[in-house]
Amino acid sequence: MEYVIEAKDLTIMYNGVNAVEDLTFKLKRGETLLLLGPNGAGKTTLLRVLAGFHTEYKGYLKVFGKSPLEVKDRVAYVPQTFSINSRVPLSVLDVVAMGAIYKRGIVHFNVPREVIKKGIKVLEFLGLKDLSSRSFRELSGGQKQRVIIARALMSEPELLLLDEPLSALDPKARLEVTSVLSRIKEKFGISMIITTHDINPLAEIGDKVMLINKKLVAFGTPDEVLRDEIIGKVYGPASKTVRVGKKLYCIIGDVHLMVR
């Protein structure tokens, strides 16, 4: 069986100091992993290593059977915060095209016709075609997030890493972004790792859940990981799970998490 990711005893360092320790997990092709943990737990750090942006680590780590640096062109990373200069009048299509032209070293003002056509198709798939000529800076938060995801899809990744894609979005925008991720999973079968504080909107697409807090706390199916004794190790004894029918609700402080 081919694994997209294989990690064993993975420890990630910054300037010689351990940031995340002893991570062991595997992710199969087409699976979606929901990565949970409090602020500072190491979620973003792990994504950056998998994307090949950070190389200070020890232990066993393979992405598509190779080191992350060797397969960077097969991985797309969507950061929690994206920097698009608001003073530059970029259209939605301009921003989406970046996902293809940067890897090819093409100057932005000379975008090939095939890239433009591909960008329009991606926008159409994500329900954004009507916004292609709109100024990116005029979009809502949810629309911007979907455009950034569209930009990531332009490189035709086999592994999509998304860092808190639902943060700072209102409930309607969260549903829009979640719907996009669900369609990507169904249509393309892309493996995904999504960091989140609120698993509720993403529960339908999560195959595996990993809970970390500087170290691996638990990894497995949602039912295996989201249990009182496990959640309590990270979020405190007040955290609990409640099952109603086939749905499992996890209550963590003011955040309510639900898993089917």
Side-chain angles (χ1 to χ4, degrees):
M1 178 181 296
E2 180 184 2
Y3 288 100
V4 174
I5 298 171
E6 292 182 88
K8 184 176 181 180
D9 301 327
L10 174 65
T11 294
I12 305 170
M13 297 84 70
Y14 273 97
N15 298 320
V17 178
N18 292 352
V20 188
E21 300 178 337
D22 301 326
L23 300 182
T24 296
F25 68 99
K26 294 180 180 180
L27 190 68
K28 299 175 185 176
R29 183 175 293 275
E31 284 188 324
T32 295
L33 170 64
L34 305 181
L35 182 56
L36 307 178
N39 289 331
K43 302 188 297 296
T44 299
T45 297
L46 175 57
L47 291 194
R48 288 182 56 79
V49 167
L50 294 173
F53 297 145
H54 183 75
T55 59
E56 192 181 353
Y57 65 86
K58 62 183 180 181
Y60 182 86
L61 176 62
K62 296 295 182 182
V63 179
F64 299 110
K66 300 180 179 180
S67 73
L69 279 176
E70 294 179 282
V71 292
K72 288 182 69 173
D73 60 339
R74 300 170 69 179
V75 181
Y77 175 59
V78 179
Q80 183 174 356
T81 57
F82 43 85
S83 57
I84 302 292
N85 193 333
S86 61
R87 292 175 293 181
V88 179
L90 295 175
S91 71
V92 166
L93 187 55
D94 288 334
V95 173
V96 171
M98 291 178 185
I101 61 179
Y102 279 2
K103 288 190 175 181
R104 294 166 54 178
I106 300 171
V107 179
H108 186 263
F109 56 76
N110 188 26
V111 182
R113 185 181 299 273
E114 67 268 20
V115 172
I116 293 175
K117 289 182 177 180
K118 183 177 180 180
I120 291 174
K121 286 184 178 180
V122 172
L123 286 170
E124 184 175 16
F125 173 71
L126 298 185
L128 297 168
K129 183 179 179 180
D130 292 343
L131 300 178
S132 60
S133 60
R134 281 269 302 274
S135 171
F136 178 79
R137 62 189 178 190
E138 295 176 356
L139 301 183
S140 67
Q143 290 171 332
K144 286 181 178 178
Q145 187 64 270
R146 284 188 285 161
V147 170
I148 296 302
I149 292 172
R151 181 179 68 174
L153 291 179
M154 286 291 285
S155 64
E156 299 182 6
E158 297 172 63
L159 173 62
L160 184 58
L161 308 174
L162 302 110
D163 196 1
E164 295 284 355
L166 307 184
S167 65
L169 299 182
D170 60 39
K172 181 176 181 296
R174 286 187 175 200
L175 288 175
E176 291 172 349
V177 173
T178 301
S179 176
V180 161
L181 296 176
S182 179
R183 273 182 278 154
I184 290 171
K185 179 182 178 73
E186 181 179 350
K187 175 72 173 180
F188 301 114
I190 298 174
S191 304
M192 293 188 283
I193 299 181
I194 308 171
T195 71
T196 181
H197 282 91
D198 185 0
I199 198 174
N200 179 35
L202 299 166
E204 298 296 330
I205 63 173
D207 301 297
K208 297 289 175 57
V209 174
M210 183 157 67
L211 181 61
I212 65 174
N213 190 13
K214 300 292 187 179
K215 294 184 177 182
L216 178 65
V217 177
F219 172 78
T221 65
D223 279 340
E224 290 170 339
V225 174
L226 299 176
R227 294 159 31 198
D228 291 357
E229 62 272 24
I230 295 177
I231 294 296
K233 292 179 182 179
V234 174
Y235 296 101
S239 304
K240 62 179 181 178
T241 58
V242 178
R243 184 175 293 279
V244 180
K246 295 183 179 180
K247 297 181 181 179
L248 178 66
Y249 295 84
C250 297
I251 304 171
I252 303 173
D254 293 330
V255 180
H256 295 261
L257 310 180
M258 179 193 72
V259 177
R260 280 191 181 275

